Amino acid sequence: MLGFGRTEISPLPKLTTRCVFVHDQGNARKIGLVELQKIILYYGFTPVADPEAVKLWQKTLCESLGLKGRILISKHGINGTLGGDMSALKKYVRQTKEYPGFKKIDFKWSEGTGNDFPRLRVRVRPELVAFNAPDEVQVDINGVVGGGTHLKPAQVDALVAERGDEVVFFDGRNAFEAKIGKFKNAIIPDVQTSHDFIRDIESGKYDDIKDKPIVTYCTGGIRCEILSAIMIKRGFKEVYQIDGGIVRYGESQGDESLWEGSLYVFDDRLNIDFTDKAKTIGECATCGEATSKFRNCANLGCRDLVLLCDACAAKPENLECQPTHTRGRKREAVG
């Protein structure tokens, strides 16, 4: 059977609408049902013989359902994040899983607003995540060949309980994402994009951890599918990855275990918390106060971000283009 097949399929949410009430002189009056807005994040590694044909199918499907977001397709599989009505997303999930290689994709659901993506973009790329190593990644019907061992969230905690400080958490995201959330005592590579990882790993700066148990992590898991394989090929002996990434870990273990802070996400929400006990570890770029909120540069032609507290964000001068802003925010589907 084709398919990714290493993660459990998350159940589809059952409720698709909510009641809306208006209050008139103290009396609540029901005015109807409104579709719940959701966001899905997903990926699947499996050989795709004709990426252009899959692109056309996915674009037509999403347009027919009124969905917005970003989908990347390559010879290695599919990677996407979409937002819209829950009922439309459920139809999308069912129809996408009809493709043999996508049957066991793990679709991760979260709350949306209905305005989380400006448009729909479906593209074919050489890689699902741009490590600049398309020929190094090998994929078969079971997923990425030679990647790190998958651990469920509870297994991650068990590994740390058993082996303690010997375990190394290795962040597989862009460095700026870790400013607002990360695993405790994690290594945060100084990388601006995924392009930088291979050079950073080959620099020798991590040679001292090649014999240690390394847990790679990223938003939804896709970056670590590739990163873990790259590390193993370069001599790292015991490499793990978290099934479903930070998303699944946070849903399972919350904010009272090994994760701390907020999770940066690549849509207009910019960050999410798993519980109301989430720590705020980010610092305002202007005043140093605690914050988890990235803001868009005021220049509409700029894609930079700046981490600001509410008070500093209210001052227009703090949103003007500055060399210190986080550079190169990528509006691509990543996880």
Side-chain angles (χ1 to χ4, degrees):
M1 179 183 296
L2 294 177
F4 177 57
R6 297 199 209 174
T7 55
E8 297 174 356
I9 302 171
S10 58
L12 296 177
K14 294 181 179 180
L15 295 176
T16 61
T17 59
R18 62 183 174 88
C19 291
V20 176
F21 295 85
V22 295
H23 291 268
D24 184 13
Q25 296 180 348
N27 297 315
R29 177 165 55 88
K30 179 178 175 181
I31 62 173
L33 297 175
V34 175
E35 277 271 5
L36 292 176
Q37 298 299 305
K38 295 287 184 178
I39 292 173
I40 55 173
L41 176 70
Y42 63 94
Y43 69 88
F45 283 100
T46 191
V48 174
D50 191 344
E52 289 291 344
V54 173
K55 170 189 171 182
L56 178 61
W57 163 54
Q58 285 283 299
K59 186 172 186 292
T60 302
L61 175 59
C62 291
E63 288 175 344
S64 71
L65 295 171
L67 301 177
K68 296 179 181 179
R70 300 179 296 279
I71 300 174
L72 297 181
I73 299 156
S74 82
K75 64 182 181 180
H76 301 136
I78 189 170
N79 174 25
T81 179
L82 296 170
D85 293 346
M86 182 188 287
S87 60
L89 287 167
K90 290 172 73 173
K91 291 177 182 177
Y92 171 84
V93 169
R94 284 193 292 267
Q95 293 188 46
T96 294
K97 285 162 58 178
E98 291 177 1
Y99 184 83
F102 301 158
K103 281 186 177 180
K104 292 189 177 181
I105 287 178
D106 177 24
F107 289 90
K108 305 168 187 72
W109 293 77
S110 60
E111 298 296 326
T113 65
N115 297 300
D116 302 295
F117 302 97
R119 64 186 67 85
L120 173 69
R121 288 183 177 177
V122 186
R123 296 176 174 175
V124 171
R125 290 284 188 265
E127 300 175 278
L128 294 183
V129 183
F131 280 87
N132 277 355
D135 296 329
E136 185 171 339
V137 178
Q138 297 180 353
V139 172
D140 64 17
I141 60 175
N142 296 311
V144 175
V145 176
T149 302
H150 286 245
L151 296 177
K152 299 291 185 185
Q155 291 175 311
V156 175
D157 286 6
L159 179 68
V160 173
E162 177 186 349
R163 301 178 68 174
D165 292 341
E166 182 186 5
V167 178
V168 176
F169 284 95
F170 195 93
D171 201 313
R173 304 172 298 163
N174 305 327
F176 78 88
E177 298 173 63
K179 289 182 178 180
I180 63 170
K182 61 183 180 64
F183 277 89
K184 296 174 182 177
N185 301 317
I187 290 177
I188 313 298
D190 185 19
V191 297
Q192 182 173 315
T193 72
S194 296
H195 294 156
D196 303 327
F197 265 107
I198 291 180
R199 181 177 65 252
D200 196 57
I201 290 170
E202 291 179 344
S203 70
K205 67 174 69 173
Y206 308 117
D207 286 357
D208 62 319
I209 64 169
K210 281 190 171 181
D211 294 324
K212 293 186 176 183
I214 298 171
V215 179
T216 62
Y217 67 90
C218 56
T219 308
I222 187 170
R223 286 179 275 187
C224 291
E225 296 279 0
I226 301 171
L227 175 62
S228 63
I230 287 172
M231 294 179 76
I232 289 170
K233 286 184 179 180
R234 285 156 178 79
F236 294 83
K237 295 180 173 59
E238 188 178 354
V239 183
Y240 300 94
Q241 54 184 308
I242 302 175
D243 240 358
I246 301 166
V247 172
R248 285 284 182 253
Y249 185 90
E251 291 173 351
S252 172
Q253 309 300 94
D255 290 300
E256 296 182 284
S257 190
L258 301 172
W259 172 259
E260 55 184 12
S262 297
L263 173 63
Y264 178 85
V265 291
F266 285 82
D267 57 60
D268 287 342
R269 296 173 299 172
L270 294 180
N271 74 285
I272 59 173
D273 293 331
F274 295 113
T275 73
D276 57 6
K277 296 180 180 179
K279 293 182 180 179
T280 302
I281 68 170
E283 295 182 355
C284 176
T286 299
C287 72
E289 286 295 313
T291 183
S292 295
K293 294 183 179 180
F294 280 104
R295 323 284 176 152
N296 290 312
C297 175
N299 184 342
L300 295 180
C302 178
R303 299 196 298 179
D304 290 355
L305 297 171
V306 56
L307 190 59
L308 292 174
C309 67
D310 290 343
C312 290
K315 300 175 181 178
E317 61 270 23
N318 291 329
L319 293 169
E320 294 176 357
C321 277
Q322 300 290 338
T324 55
H325 287 181
T326 296
R327 306 297 299 177
R329 178 186 177 203
K330 300 298 182 185
R331 300 294 303 217
E332 295 291 349
V334 299

mmCIF file of all heavy atoms in Angstrom, residues 230-269:
data_model
loop_
_atom_site.group_PDB
_atom_site.id
_atom_site.type_symbol
_atom_site.label_atom_id
_atom_site.label_comp_id
_atom_site.label_asym_id
_atom_site.label_seq_id
_atom_site.Cartn_x
_atom_site.Cartn_y
_atom_site.Cartn_z
ATOM 1 N N ILE A 230 19.601 13.688 6.874
ATOM 2 C CA ILE A 230 20.839 14.394 6.546
ATOM 3 C C ILE A 230 21.867 14.228 7.665
ATOM 4 O O ILE A 230 23.057 13.998 7.419
ATOM 5 C CB ILE A 230 20.543 15.886 6.286
ATOM 6 C CG1 ILE A 230 19.831 16.056 4.934
ATOM 7 C CG2 ILE A 230 21.819 16.721 6.333
ATOM 8 C CD1 ILE A 230 19.323 17.452 4.677
ATOM 9 N N MET A 231 21.418 14.306 8.908
ATOM 10 C CA MET A 231 22.332 14.166 10.043
ATOM 11 C C MET A 231 22.891 12.745 10.133
ATOM 12 O O MET A 231 24.085 12.547 10.390
ATOM 13 C CB MET A 231 21.621 14.562 11.340
ATOM 14 C CG MET A 231 21.241 16.031 11.402
ATOM 15 S SD MET A 231 20.380 16.509 12.927
ATOM 16 C CE MET A 231 21.760 16.563 14.091
ATOM 17 N N ILE A 232 22.049 11.765 9.919
ATOM 18 C CA ILE A 232 22.504 10.373 9.977
ATOM 19 C C ILE A 232 23.555 10.108 8.908
ATOM 20 O O ILE A 232 24.577 9.447 9.154
ATOM 21 C CB ILE A 232 21.305 9.415 9.840
ATOM 22 C CG1 ILE A 232 20.443 9.467 11.118
ATOM 23 C CG2 ILE A 232 21.773 7.982 9.579
ATOM 24 C CD1 ILE A 232 19.121 8.751 11.002
ATOM 25 N N LYS A 233 23.343 10.644 7.721
ATOM 26 C CA LYS A 233 24.310 10.464 6.633
ATOM 27 C C LYS A 233 25.647 11.116 6.956
ATOM 28 O O LYS A 233 26.672 10.756 6.368
ATOM 29 C CB LYS A 233 23.752 11.043 5.331
ATOM 30 C CG LYS A 233 22.661 10.196 4.692
ATOM 31 C CD LYS A 233 22.225 10.787 3.366
ATOM 32 C CE LYS A 233 21.159 9.927 2.701
ATOM 33 N NZ LYS A 233 20.724 10.506 1.396
ATOM 34 N N ARG A 234 25.636 12.074 7.890
ATOM 35 C CA ARG A 234 26.867 12.788 8.237
ATOM 36 C C ARG A 234 27.441 12.343 9.577
ATOM 37 O O ARG A 234 28.188 13.076 10.211
ATOM 38 C CB ARG A 234 26.600 14.301 8.197
ATOM 39 C CG ARG A 234 26.519 14.801 6.750
ATOM 40 C CD ARG A 234 25.725 16.065 6.611
ATOM 41 N NE ARG A 234 25.729 16.506 5.205
ATOM 42 C CZ ARG A 234 24.950 15.983 4.264
ATOM 43 N NH1 ARG A 234 24.095 15.012 4.579
ATOM 44 N NH2 ARG A 234 25.005 16.429 3.013
ATOM 45 N N GLY A 235 27.068 11.146 9.988
ATOM 46 C CA GLY A 235 27.745 10.526 11.117
ATOM 47 C C GLY A 235 27.095 10.643 12.476
ATOM 48 O O GLY A 235 27.669 10.174 13.473
ATOM 49 N N PHE A 236 25.917 11.244 12.576
ATOM 50 C CA PHE A 236 25.206 11.294 13.854
ATOM 51 C C PHE A 236 24.558 9.926 14.066
ATOM 52 O O PHE A 236 23.791 9.446 13.231
ATOM 53 C CB PHE A 236 24.164 12.407 13.849
ATOM 54 C CG PHE A 236 24.770 13.787 13.779
ATOM 55 C CD1 PHE A 236 25.162 14.341 12.564
ATOM 56 C CD2 PHE A 236 24.982 14.527 14.939
ATOM 57 C CE1 PHE A 236 25.733 15.601 12.494
ATOM 58 C CE2 PHE A 236 25.554 15.792 14.883
ATOM 59 C CZ PHE A 236 25.938 16.327 13.657
ATOM 60 N N LYS A 237 24.852 9.295 15.185
ATOM 61 C CA LYS A 237 24.571 7.871 15.334
ATOM 62 C C LYS A 237 23.184 7.535 15.878
ATOM 63 O O LYS A 237 22.636 6.465 15.583
ATOM 64 C CB LYS A 237 25.640 7.237 16.235
ATOM 65 C CG LYS A 237 27.045 7.259 15.616
ATOM 66 C CD LYS A 237 28.056 6.618 16.532
ATOM 67 C CE LYS A 237 29.416 6.482 15.848
ATOM 68 N NZ LYS A 237 29.955 7.791 15.424
ATOM 69 N N GLU A 238 22.605 8.412 16.671
ATOM 70 C CA GLU A 238 21.321 8.099 17.310
ATOM 71 C C GLU A 238 20.395 9.316 17.175
ATOM 72 O O GLU A 238 20.376 10.202 18.014
ATOM 73 C CB GLU A 238 21.526 7.747 18.793
ATOM 74 C CG GLU A 238 20.278 7.231 19.474
ATOM 75 C CD GLU A 238 20.523 6.852 20.931
ATOM 76 O OE1 GLU A 238 21.705 6.884 21.375
ATOM 77 O OE2 GLU A 238 19.542 6.540 21.638
ATOM 78 N N VAL A 239 19.625 9.330 16.108
ATOM 79 C CA VAL A 239 18.813 10.500 15.791
ATOM 80 C C VAL A 239 17.335 10.126 15.807
ATOM 81 O O VAL A 239 16.930 9.124 15.214
ATOM 82 C CB VAL A 239 19.186 11.078 14.407
ATOM 83 C CG1 VAL A 239 18.374 12.344 14.133
ATOM 84 C CG2 VAL A 239 20.683 11.380 14.337
ATOM 85 N N TYR A 240 16.550 10.944 16.484
ATOM 86 C CA TYR A 240 15.105 10.737 16.599
ATOM 87 C C TYR A 240 14.370 11.938 16.009
ATOM 88 O O TYR A 240 14.944 13.001 15.799
ATOM 89 C CB TYR A 240 14.695 10.573 18.066
ATOM 90 C CG TYR A 240 15.352 9.416 18.767
ATOM 91 C CD1 TYR A 240 16.534 9.602 19.504
ATOM 92 C CD2 TYR A 240 14.804 8.135 18.717
ATOM 93 C CE1 TYR A 240 17.146 8.541 20.155
ATOM 94 C CE2 TYR A 240 15.399 7.067 19.366
ATOM 95 C CZ TYR A 240 16.572 7.276 20.087
ATOM 96 O OH TYR A 240 17.175 6.218 20.735
ATOM 97 N N GLN A 241 13.086 11.743 15.757
ATOM 98 C CA GLN A 241 12.205 12.845 15.365
ATOM 99 C C GLN A 241 10.859 12.625 16.037
ATOM 100 O O GLN A 241 10.462 11.485 16.310
ATOM 101 C CB GLN A 241 12.055 12.920 13.850
ATOM 102 C CG GLN A 241 11.602 11.640 13.181
ATOM 103 C CD GLN A 241 11.573 11.761 11.680
ATOM 104 O OE1 GLN A 241 10.987 12.679 11.123
ATOM 105 N NE2 GLN A 241 12.189 10.802 10.987
ATOM 106 N N ILE A 242 10.164 13.724 16.319
ATOM 107 C CA ILE A 242 8.891 13.639 17.043
ATOM 108 C C ILE A 242 7.760 13.430 16.054
ATOM 109 O O ILE A 242 7.575 14.234 15.131
ATOM 110 C CB ILE A 242 8.646 14.902 17.882
ATOM 111 C CG1 ILE A 242 9.803 15.111 18.867
ATOM 112 C CG2 ILE A 242 7.316 14.797 18.631
ATOM 113 C CD1 ILE A 242 9.703 16.417 19.650
ATOM 114 N N ASP A 243 7.012 12.366 16.231
ATOM 115 C CA ASP A 243 5.864 12.093 15.374
ATOM 116 C C ASP A 243 4.881 13.261 15.435
ATOM 117 O O ASP A 243 4.339 13.576 16.498
ATOM 118 C CB ASP A 243 5.143 10.827 15.866
ATOM 119 C CG ASP A 243 5.116 9.739 14.807
ATOM 120 O OD1 ASP A 243 5.612 9.967 13.697
ATOM 121 O OD2 ASP A 243 4.588 8.650 15.093
ATOM 122 N N GLY A 244 4.662 13.931 14.309
ATOM 123 C CA GLY A 244 3.738 15.046 14.280
ATOM 124 C C GLY A 244 4.329 16.356 14.743
ATOM 125 O O GLY A 244 3.624 17.374 14.813
ATOM 126 N N GLY A 245 5.619 16.351 15.081
ATOM 127 C CA GLY A 245 6.307 17.582 15.428
ATOM 128 C C GLY A 245 5.832 18.231 16.723
ATOM 129 O O GLY A 245 5.214 17.600 17.584
ATOM 130 N N ILE A 246 6.132 19.520 16.841
ATOM 131 C CA ILE A 246 5.754 20.275 18.036
ATOM 132 C C ILE A 246 4.236 20.290 18.205
ATOM 133 O O ILE A 246 3.727 20.246 19.326
ATOM 134 C CB ILE A 246 6.275 21.720 17.944
ATOM 135 C CG1 ILE A 246 7.797 21.735 17.787
ATOM 136 C CG2 ILE A 246 5.863 22.535 19.166
ATOM 137 C CD1 ILE A 246 8.363 23.079 17.350
ATOM 138 N N VAL A 247 3.512 20.332 17.085
ATOM 139 C CA VAL A 247 2.049 20.386 17.155
ATOM 140 C C VAL A 247 1.505 19.214 17.953
ATOM 141 O O VAL A 247 0.728 19.382 18.896
ATOM 142 C CB VAL A 247 1.435 20.413 15.742
ATOM 143 C CG1 VAL A 247 -0.085 20.261 15.820
ATOM 144 C CG2 VAL A 247 1.791 21.704 15.026
ATOM 145 N N ARG A 248 1.899 17.993 17.577
ATOM 146 C CA ARG A 248 1.402 16.816 18.269
ATOM 147 C C ARG A 248 1.935 16.731 19.700
ATOM 148 O O ARG A 248 1.231 16.299 20.614
ATOM 149 C CB ARG A 248 1.768 15.556 17.494
ATOM 150 C CG ARG A 248 0.909 15.348 16.257
ATOM 151 C CD ARG A 248 -0.476 14.845 16.656
ATOM 152 N NE ARG A 248 -1.296 14.599 15.481
ATOM 153 C CZ ARG A 248 -2.305 15.366 15.092
ATOM 154 N NH1 ARG A 248 -2.617 16.448 15.800
ATOM 155 N NH2 ARG A 248 -3.020 15.059 14.041
ATOM 156 N N TYR A 249 3.191 17.158 19.906
ATOM 157 C CA TYR A 249 3.733 17.136 21.263
ATOM 158 C C TYR A 249 2.929 18.067 22.171
ATOM 159 O O TYR A 249 2.547 17.705 23.284
ATOM 160 C CB TYR A 249 5.210 17.528 21.275
ATOM 161 C CG TYR A 249 5.822 17.387 22.657
ATOM 162 C CD1 TYR A 249 6.413 16.201 23.053
ATOM 163 C CD2 TYR A 249 5.758 18.430 23.578
ATOM 164 C CE1 TYR A 249 6.929 16.048 24.331
ATOM 165 C CE2 TYR A 249 6.267 18.294 24.856
ATOM 166 C CZ TYR A 249 6.854 17.101 25.231
ATOM 167 O OH TYR A 249 7.354 16.954 26.515
ATOM 168 N N GLY A 250 2.681 19.291 21.693
ATOM 169 C CA GLY A 250 1.943 20.253 22.509
ATOM 170 C C GLY A 250 0.524 19.815 22.791
ATOM 171 O O GLY A 250 0.004 20.012 23.901
ATOM 172 N N GLU A 251 -0.125 19.217 21.801
ATOM 173 C CA GLU A 251 -1.485 18.719 22.009
ATOM 174 C C GLU A 251 -1.516 17.616 23.062
ATOM 175 O O GLU A 251 -2.454 17.520 23.843
ATOM 176 C CB GLU A 251 -2.052 18.177 20.690
ATOM 177 C CG GLU A 251 -2.337 19.234 19.646
ATOM 178 C CD GLU A 251 -2.736 18.641 18.309
ATOM 179 O OE1 GLU A 251 -2.625 17.410 18.128
ATOM 180 O OE2 GLU A 251 -3.158 19.417 17.436
ATOM 181 N N SER A 252 -0.472 16.798 23.077
ATOM 182 C CA SER A 252 -0.427 15.658 23.991
ATOM 183 C C SER A 252 0.085 16.025 25.382
ATOM 184 O O SER A 252 -0.517 15.650 26.393
ATOM 185 C CB SER A 252 0.469 14.562 23.393
ATOM 186 O OG SER A 252 0.701 13.520 24.316
ATOM 187 N N GLN A 253 1.182 16.762 25.426
ATOM 188 C CA GLN A 253 1.866 16.997 26.696
ATOM 189 C C GLN A 253 1.649 18.388 27.274
ATOM 190 O O GLN A 253 2.039 18.656 28.413
ATOM 191 C CB GLN A 253 3.372 16.760 26.528
ATOM 192 C CG GLN A 253 3.742 15.429 25.882
ATOM 193 C CD GLN A 253 3.245 14.229 26.665
ATOM 194 O OE1 GLN A 253 2.167 13.720 26.388
ATOM 195 N NE2 GLN A 253 4.014 13.795 27.639
ATOM 196 N N GLY A 254 1.062 19.280 26.475
ATOM 197 C CA GLY A 254 0.756 20.616 26.980
ATOM 198 C C GLY A 254 1.994 21.450 27.279
ATOM 199 O O GLY A 254 3.044 21.287 26.659
ATOM 200 N N ASP A 255 1.869 22.333 28.267
ATOM 201 C CA ASP A 255 2.928 23.292 28.581
ATOM 202 C C ASP A 255 3.613 23.004 29.913
ATOM 203 O O ASP A 255 4.322 23.858 30.444
ATOM 204 C CB ASP A 255 2.352 24.708 28.618
ATOM 205 C CG ASP A 255 1.951 25.201 27.237
ATOM 206 O OD1 ASP A 255 2.837 25.277 26.372
ATOM 207 O OD2 ASP A 255 0.749 25.469 27.021
ATOM 208 N N GLU A 256 3.423 21.800 30.438
ATOM 209 C CA GLU A 256 4.016 21.483 31.738
ATOM 210 C C GLU A 256 5.026 20.353 31.638
ATOM 211 O O GLU A 256 5.342 19.719 32.637
ATOM 212 C CB GLU A 256 2.914 21.133 32.733
ATOM 213 C CG GLU A 256 1.975 22.304 33.007
ATOM 214 C CD GLU A 256 0.908 21.984 34.035
ATOM 215 O OE1 GLU A 256 -0.051 21.271 33.694
ATOM 216 O OE2 GLU A 256 1.055 22.444 35.185
ATOM 217 N N SER A 257 5.533 20.121 30.440
ATOM 218 C CA SER A 257 6.537 19.085 30.267
ATOM 219 C C SER A 257 7.817 19.697 29.708
ATOM 220 O O SER A 257 8.417 20.563 30.345
ATOM 221 C CB SER A 257 6.005 17.972 29.362
ATOM 222 O OG SER A 257 6.874 16.858 29.366
ATOM 223 N N LEU A 258 8.236 19.320 28.501
ATOM 224 C CA LEU A 258 9.541 19.733 27.987
ATOM 225 C C LEU A 258 9.481 20.909 27.017
ATOM 226 O O LEU A 258 10.508 21.515 26.714
ATOM 227 C CB LEU A 258 10.224 18.538 27.302
ATOM 228 C CG LEU A 258 10.448 17.314 28.198
ATOM 229 C CD1 LEU A 258 10.950 16.130 27.380
ATOM 230 C CD2 LEU A 258 11.436 17.646 29.306
ATOM 231 N N TRP A 259 8.306 21.219 26.508
ATOM 232 C CA TRP A 259 8.139 22.366 25.612
ATOM 233 C C TRP A 259 7.877 23.612 26.438
ATOM 234 O O TRP A 259 7.148 23.583 27.446
ATOM 235 C CB TRP A 259 6.982 22.127 24.645
ATOM 236 C CG TRP A 259 6.636 23.348 23.824
ATOM 237 C CD1 TRP A 259 5.603 24.230 24.025
ATOM 238 C CD2 TRP A 259 7.344 23.843 22.683
ATOM 239 N NE1 TRP A 259 5.626 25.234 23.085
ATOM 240 C CE2 TRP A 259 6.683 25.021 22.251
ATOM 241 C CE3 TRP A 259 8.468 23.417 21.983
ATOM 242 C CZ2 TRP A 259 7.121 25.761 21.153
ATOM 243 C CZ3 TRP A 259 8.902 24.147 20.893
ATOM 244 C CH2 TRP A 259 8.222 25.303 20.483
ATOM 245 N N GLU A 260 8.439 24.753 26.003
ATOM 246 C CA GLU A 260 8.168 26.011 26.684
ATOM 247 C C GLU A 260 7.966 27.127 25.669
ATOM 248 O O GLU A 260 8.695 27.243 24.698
ATOM 249 C CB GLU A 260 9.312 26.372 27.646
ATOM 250 C CG GLU A 260 10.689 26.433 27.027
ATOM 251 C CD GLU A 260 11.784 26.702 28.059
ATOM 252 O OE1 GLU A 260 11.490 26.619 29.268
ATOM 253 O OE2 GLU A 260 12.921 26.995 27.652
ATOM 254 N N GLY A 261 6.909 27.910 25.889
ATOM 255 C CA GLY A 261 6.648 29.059 25.034
ATOM 256 C C GLY A 261 5.521 28.847 24.056
ATOM 257 O O GLY A 261 4.672 27.966 24.208
ATOM 258 N N SER A 262 5.511 29.704 23.001
ATOM 259 C CA SER A 262 4.501 29.664 21.957
ATOM 260 C C SER A 262 5.088 29.036 20.702
ATOM 261 O O SER A 262 6.308 28.966 20.538
ATOM 262 C CB SER A 262 4.015 31.083 21.627
ATOM 263 O OG SER A 262 3.392 31.683 22.750
ATOM 264 N N LEU A 263 4.210 28.612 19.812
ATOM 265 C CA LEU A 263 4.641 28.005 18.560
ATOM 266 C C LEU A 263 4.421 28.983 17.414
ATOM 267 O O LEU A 263 3.292 29.433 17.183
ATOM 268 C CB LEU A 263 3.861 26.715 18.293
ATOM 269 C CG LEU A 263 4.094 26.046 16.933
ATOM 270 C CD1 LEU A 263 5.550 25.611 16.795
ATOM 271 C CD2 LEU A 263 3.152 24.857 16.761
ATOM 272 N N TYR A 264 5.494 29.315 16.698
ATOM 273 C CA TYR A 264 5.361 30.154 15.508
ATOM 274 C C TYR A 264 4.715 29.332 14.404
ATOM 275 O O TYR A 264 5.061 28.172 14.179
ATOM 276 C CB TYR A 264 6.732 30.650 15.034
ATOM 277 C CG TYR A 264 6.633 31.494 13.773
ATOM 278 C CD1 TYR A 264 6.351 32.850 13.859
ATOM 279 C CD2 TYR A 264 6.774 30.915 12.513
ATOM 280 C CE1 TYR A 264 6.233 33.617 12.713
ATOM 281 C CE2 TYR A 264 6.653 31.679 11.366
ATOM 282 C CZ TYR A 264 6.379 33.028 11.468
ATOM 283 O OH TYR A 264 6.245 33.778 10.331
ATOM 284 N N VAL A 265 3.747 29.944 13.692
ATOM 285 C CA VAL A 265 3.074 29.275 12.583
ATOM 286 C C VAL A 265 3.117 30.177 11.351
ATOM 287 O O VAL A 265 3.120 31.400 11.453
ATOM 288 C CB VAL A 265 1.613 28.902 12.927
ATOM 289 C CG1 VAL A 265 1.576 27.795 13.969
ATOM 290 C CG2 VAL A 265 0.818 30.122 13.408
ATOM 291 N N PHE A 266 3.130 29.533 10.171
ATOM 292 C CA PHE A 266 3.315 30.257 8.920
ATOM 293 C C PHE A 266 1.984 30.638 8.277
ATOM 294 O O PHE A 266 1.697 30.309 7.136
ATOM 295 C CB PHE A 266 4.151 29.412 7.949
ATOM 296 C CG PHE A 266 5.609 29.379 8.290
ATOM 297 C CD1 PHE A 266 6.083 28.513 9.262
ATOM 298 C CD2 PHE A 266 6.508 30.227 7.665
ATOM 299 C CE1 PHE A 266 7.430 28.482 9.592
ATOM 300 C CE2 PHE A 266 7.860 30.203 7.986
ATOM 301 C CZ PHE A 266 8.323 29.332 8.953
ATOM 302 N N ASP A 267 1.142 31.306 9.049
ATOM 303 C CA ASP A 267 -0.071 31.910 8.505
ATOM 304 C C ASP A 267 -0.295 33.210 9.261
ATOM 305 O O ASP A 267 0.553 33.613 10.067
ATOM 306 C CB ASP A 267 -1.272 30.959 8.581
ATOM 307 C CG ASP A 267 -1.568 30.486 10.006
ATOM 308 O OD1 ASP A 267 -1.842 31.346 10.862
ATOM 309 O OD2 ASP A 267 -1.529 29.265 10.264
ATOM 310 N N ASP A 268 -1.405 33.860 9.033
ATOM 311 C CA ASP A 268 -1.586 35.194 9.601
ATOM 312 C C ASP A 268 -1.834 35.206 11.106
ATOM 313 O O ASP A 268 -1.887 36.278 11.717
ATOM 314 C CB ASP A 268 -2.718 35.925 8.867
ATOM 315 C CG ASP A 268 -2.295 36.358 7.468
ATOM 316 O OD1 ASP A 268 -1.070 36.396 7.215
ATOM 317 O OD2 ASP A 268 -3.170 36.647 6.628
ATOM 318 N N ARG A 269 -1.965 34.033 11.726
ATOM 319 C CA ARG A 269 -2.027 33.994 13.190
ATOM 320 C C ARG A 269 -0.651 34.295 13.792
ATOM 321 O O ARG A 269 -0.540 34.864 14.865
ATOM 322 C CB ARG A 269 -2.503 32.623 13.664
ATOM 323 C CG ARG A 269 -3.916 32.260 13.240
ATOM 324 C CD ARG A 269 -4.231 30.826 13.602
ATOM 325 N NE ARG A 269 -3.331 29.875 12.924
ATOM 326 C CZ ARG A 269 -3.294 28.572 13.184
ATOM 327 N NH1 ARG A 269 -4.077 28.061 14.122
ATOM 328 N NH2 ARG A 269 -2.465 27.782 12.508
#
